[in-house]
Amino acid sequence: METAHNPHLNHLLEALLKADYDRLFPNLEFIEMPLGQVLCESGDKLKHVYFPTTSIVSLLYVMENGASAEIAVVGNEGILGVPILLGGDSTPSRAVVQSAGYGYRMKALLLKNEFNQAGQLQRLLLRYTQALITQMAQTAVCNRHHSVEQQLCRWLLLSIDRLSGNELCMTQELIANMLGVRREGVTEAAGALQQLGLINYHRGHITVLDRKGLEAKSCECYQVVKNEFDRLLPALRV
Amino acid sequence: METAHNPHLNHLLEALLKADYDRLFPNLEFIEMPLGQVLCESGDKLKHVYFPTTSIVSLLYVMENGASAEIAVVGNEGILGVPILLGGDSTPSRAVVQSAGYGYRMKALLLKNEFNQAGQLQRLLLRYTQALITQMAQTAVCNRHHSVEQQLCRWLLLSIDRLSGNELCMTQELIANMLGVRREGVTEAAGALQQLGLINYHRGHITVLDRKGLEAKSCECYQVVKNEFDRLLPALRV
DNA sequence: CTCACTATGCACGCCAGCGTACAGACTTTG
DNA sequence: CAAAGTCTGTACGCTGGCGTGCATAGTGAG
């Protein structure tokens, strides 16, 4: 999908008008985002918004009994902090760095002010919001109807789309938390995919060998989400 | 929750500034919304937005194989047509009248123009959008982790919150489609709830007898969604 | 009153995914 | 190089929900 992996590239920022980008740029802080970092706890007021570049952030719900489920994922195509824009400031979900890397952050209030100018920046971010909604809705459907193996395929595809290479650093335990299933379920599904030569798995390093094959094994949910992102945000296509 | 059941009441409209409301009012068309009416097919461009008053509208995803799942529900607390505001115009979901009643509709473009004025109306609708997002996210989690019986409780509570009385007209078959489960699963769960004296079920007429009891049987998802609606849209509290 | 229809109830076998327990393989640390 | 820790693989019984097929009971039309 992408070509060279520019560690400073966030597609949403790139899609801004030059004037907007230039005004925002001095307020952007380039930061490291280590694996497992919690950017936002459930119910917390966000102080910053984040534009991942080489990192991936998961939005997850953690339930009273400790069970969890990922509801959406944000990478270099998006922004973390939509609730700021919508006016609620917080959400009941937690934001965790799922794949270590870098990104920009800026003060939430600054972006909120820009957003309230109701210009191209607002329109862009609202379209991104709709894409995010699609992802959540599709996750709901997928959770209801599809097997662990199908969901794993969807998840792998969504993840590598947001990275440059075809490799992910991620233990099966972590993936299980994201999908809200048992670790053993992931082991089994990943084993099957490896058997088929679609992926290579070794102690926290997954390499996707056959992207097309994965897409074929995946449920329709991946394509639906991808198509909506492409439709809503054509500017982001590389 | 509500007192008298005013068939012309939509809380979101009521929460508008008087000036905004007066400007919108002449463009509102009061319409009947019969059970099963499809207000919007997956991928269609919405021509109108809808403000239900006594009706309830389901947002559902229908999959390639025909299986379906509800991702959110809109009643007199909300609006159908968020994608118009966000700029995507359509979504991959279908909108179906789940409980017959009445509502207002207006030309989508008119509301879009009002929205783009970036005033109180926009802020209100964006907060509603966030509440809707919360509902979708919670549905995703609920689909993953909770039993049919728990989900039925959540669904019943969300539905009667959007109506005046404690009665719903809804066959088990329809509920099963909403929840994305087998009809027999609903039969079983509803039977159990009836056994406990929480509801009364008779050929498409459900009466909630013990609201507190239902809340106790329900998963946490109902309260999370309700709390977020109350937090984000305090103006809507009756 | 009868017939067709619709809504609900019930029973059976089946399977995906869960909970649990444990073993082996690889990695890091001292 | 040994020990401790981490990650992955395997096994087993259990259960919730599925698919299927069919029986009963209300309901409405003629």
Side-chain angles (χ1 to χ4, degrees):
Chain A
M1 190 180 181
E2 277 108 306
T3 49
H5 194 37
N6 182 343
H8 291 271
L9 191 69
N10 175 282
H11 295 305
L12 215 48
L13 287 175
E14 296 301 315
L16 289 175
L17 293 177
K18 181 153 177 16
D20 289 338
Y21 183 81
D22 289 346
R23 201 167 49 252
L24 250 47
F25 186 74
N27 302 301
L28 291 174
E29 188 184 349
F30 191 67
I31 57 164
E32 194 177 345
M33 298 167 70
L35 178 64
Q37 186 180 30
V38 176
L39 300 178
C40 176
E41 200 48 75
S42 164
D44 276 5
K45 260 195 152 159
L46 272 166
K47 285 205 177 113
H48 295 87
V49 297
Y50 297 81
F51 297 92
T53 59
T54 58
S55 55
I56 302 183
V57 178
S58 266
L59 303 184
L60 26 105
Y61 263 60
V62 181
M63 314 201 31
E64 286 165 4
N65 64 13
S68 65
E70 182 184 84
I71 53 168
V73 53
V74 178
N76 64 7
E77 88 298 347
I79 177 177
L80 176 71
V82 165
I84 295 289
L85 310 175
L86 299 185
D89 292 338
S90 72
T91 57
S93 73
R94 173 189 290 177
V96 188
V97 177
Q98 173 210 109
S99 179
Y102 295 86
Y104 293 100
R105 75 172 186 189
M106 73 180 287
K107 293 239 186 291
L109 270 183
L110 276 171
L111 187 71
K112 191 170 180 176
N113 289 337
E114 287 289 336
F115 180 85
N116 287 336
Q117 302 307 309
Q120 188 260 3
L121 180 143
Q122 185 185 76
R123 283 195 297 280
L124 182 67
L125 291 177
L126 287 181
R127 291 179 80 95
Y128 173 72
T129 300
Q130 189 179 335
L132 196 65
I133 288 177
T134 301
Q135 198 187 148
M136 291 181 182
Q138 204 67 41
T139 303
V141 176
C142 201
N143 279 350
R144 158 71 52 218
H145 290 292
H146 297 139
S147 69
V148 171
E149 186 173 315
Q150 288 177 306
Q151 293 185 49
L152 177 60
C153 292
R154 168 180 65 86
W155 190 90
L156 286 172
L157 289 166
L158 284 176
S159 295
I160 61 166
D161 280 356
R162 283 155 181 77
L163 294 173
S164 56
N166 58 347
E167 196 179 337
L168 271 170
C169 290
M170 176 80 35
T171 66
Q172 299 185 347
E173 180 87 43
L174 274 175
I175 297 181
N177 283 339
M178 303 292 171
L179 296 181
V181 300
R182 279 188 324 156
R183 198 262 310 158
E184 288 85 343
V186 175
T187 300
E188 207 168 339
L193 297 179
Q194 186 153 22
Q195 207 74 35
L196 291 168
L198 304 181
I199 64 171
N200 198 311
Y201 212 126
H202 183 66
R203 289 185 75 75
H205 292 261
I206 317 171
T207 314
V208 173
L209 301 175
D210 179 356
R211 213 206 128 86
K212 285 283 165 220
L214 260 195
E215 288 184 21
K217 269 275 167 194
S218 169
C219 46
E220 66 203 79
C221 299
Y222 166 67
Q223 273 302 331
V224 171
V225 170
K226 179 155 167 47
N227 290 345
E228 275 293 283
F229 267 85
D230 288 347
R231 180 180 80 85
L232 291 166
L233 301 161
L236 304 198
R237 239 178 319 211
V238 186
Chain B
M1 191 180 180
E2 278 107 304
T3 50
H5 193 37
N6 182 341
H8 291 271
L9 191 69
N10 175 283
H11 297 303
L12 214 48
L13 286 175
E14 297 301 315
L16 288 175
L17 293 177
K18 180 152 175 20
D20 289 338
Y21 183 81
D22 289 347
R23 201 167 50 251
L24 249 48
F25 186 75
N27 302 301
L28 291 174
E29 189 184 347
F30 191 67
I31 57 164
E32 194 177 344
M33 297 167 71
L35 178 64
Q37 186 178 30
V38 176
L39 300 177
C40 177
E41 199 49 74
S42 163
D44 276 6
K45 261 196 150 156
L46 272 166
K47 285 206 177 113
H48 295 87
V49 297
Y50 297 80
F51 297 93
T53 58
T54 58
S55 54
I56 302 183
V57 178
S58 266
L59 304 184
L60 351 131
Y61 263 60
V62 181
M63 315 200 31
E64 286 164 4
N65 66 13
S68 64
E70 183 183 84
I71 52 168
V73 54
V74 179
N76 64 8
E77 89 297 346
I79 178 178
L80 176 71
V82 165
I84 295 290
L85 311 175
L86 299 185
D89 292 338
S90 70
T91 58
S93 73
R94 174 189 289 178
V96 188
V97 176
Q98 173 210 110
S99 179
Y102 295 87
Y104 292 100
R105 74 172 187 190
M106 74 181 286
K107 292 238 186 294
L109 270 183
L110 277 170
L111 187 71
K112 191 169 181 176
N113 288 336
E114 287 289 336
F115 179 85
N116 287 335
Q117 302 306 308
Q120 189 259 2
L121 180 142
Q122 184 186 77
R123 283 195 297 280
L124 182 67
L125 291 177
L126 287 182
R127 291 178 80 95
Y128 173 72
T129 300
Q130 190 180 334
L132 197 65
I133 289 177
T134 301
Q135 198 188 146
M136 291 181 183
Q138 204 67 40
T139 302
V141 176
C142 200
N143 279 350
R144 159 71 51 219
H145 291 291
H146 297 138
S147 69
V148 172
E149 186 173 315
Q150 288 176 305
Q151 293 186 49
L152 177 60
C153 292
R154 167 180 65 87
W155 190 90
L156 287 172
L157 289 167
L158 284 177
S159 295
I160 62 167
D161 279 356
R162 282 156 182 77
L163 295 173
S164 55
N166 57 348
E167 196 181 334
L168 270 170
C169 291
M170 178 77 38
T171 65
Q172 299 186 346
E173 180 87 43
L174 275 175
I175 296 180
N177 283 339
M178 303 294 170
L179 296 181
V181 300
R182 278 189 325 156
R183 198 258 314 155
E184 288 85 343
V186 175
T187 300
E188 208 169 338
L193 297 180
Q194 186 153 20
Q195 207 75 35
L196 292 169
L198 303 181
I199 65 171
N200 197 311
Y201 211 125
H202 183 66
R203 289 184 75 76
H205 292 261
I206 317 170
T207 314
V208 174
L209 302 174
D210 179 356
R211 212 206 128 86
K212 284 282 165 222
L214 260 195
E215 287 183 23
K217 269 275 167 194
S218 170
C219 46
E220 66 202 79
C221 299
Y222 166 68
Q223 274 301 331
V224 171
V225 171
K226 180 157 167 45
N227 291 346
E228 274 293 283
F229 266 85
D230 289 348
R231 179 180 80 85
L232 291 166
L233 301 161
L236 305 198
R237 239 180 317 213
V238 185

